[in-house]
Amino acid sequence: ETPRKEEPEIIRYFGERKKIFLIHFRNIVSDRNKFQEVWPDEGVITAPEHAGLKKVEYEHMVVPDHAPGHKDPESGRQAFAFEFGYIKAMIQAVMDKD
């Protein structure tokens, strides 16, 4: 299986049991055994996969995990600003869906 196909079932299984307490948000290209972390809007996971968190009434934190960097000394700040903005937009998109 691929992360895109597995993630909704994992969220459903653990979320229904209230066993998810923190989401380290990341995106990847490739598959679970050989992958590269990428910016959240570049990878294989999209908003519909995260809609499962709404279905299981997830109410805890969603935080950035890792983000690609670049040579600019402020790349860490830029990466986290982008990631937090993307997470907020993803939450809004999922909450507005229905």
Side-chain angles (χ1 to χ4, degrees):
E1 291 288 331
T2 65
R4 185 174 190 165
K5 291 180 182 176
E6 292 175 334
E7 185 176 289
E9 178 60 23
I10 291 168
I11 289 172
R12 186 198 60 74
Y13 179 84
F14 287 103
E16 287 178 350
R17 291 159 176 81
K18 304 300 180 198
K19 299 294 182 183
I20 304 173
F21 306 102
L22 173 68
I23 301 291
H24 272 154
F25 188 82
R26 75 163 69 171
N27 216 333
I28 63 169
V29 292
S30 199
D31 63 39
R32 80 176 141 160
N33 295 322
K34 184 177 180 179
F35 64 90
Q36 177 181 348
E37 293 177 352
V38 294
W39 293 105
D41 60 337
E42 295 178 328
V44 298
I45 307 298
T46 60
E49 283 81 23
H50 295 294
L53 293 170
K54 180 180 178 184
K55 290 177 186 172
V56 298
E57 299 177 351
Y58 178 74
E59 57 186 24
H60 303 288
M61 294 190 331
V62 178
V63 298
D65 192 8
H66 302 114
H70 54 79
K71 293 179 183 178
D72 186 308
E74 296 296 321
S75 68
R77 289 181 180 189
Q78 293 170 353
F80 277 108
F82 180 80
E83 295 239 339
F84 276 114
Y86 194 88
I87 288 169
K88 185 171 182 175
M90 181 92 55
I91 291 169
Q92 289 173 341
V94 168
M95 296 307 286
D96 290 345
K97 187 179 179 183
D98 279 335

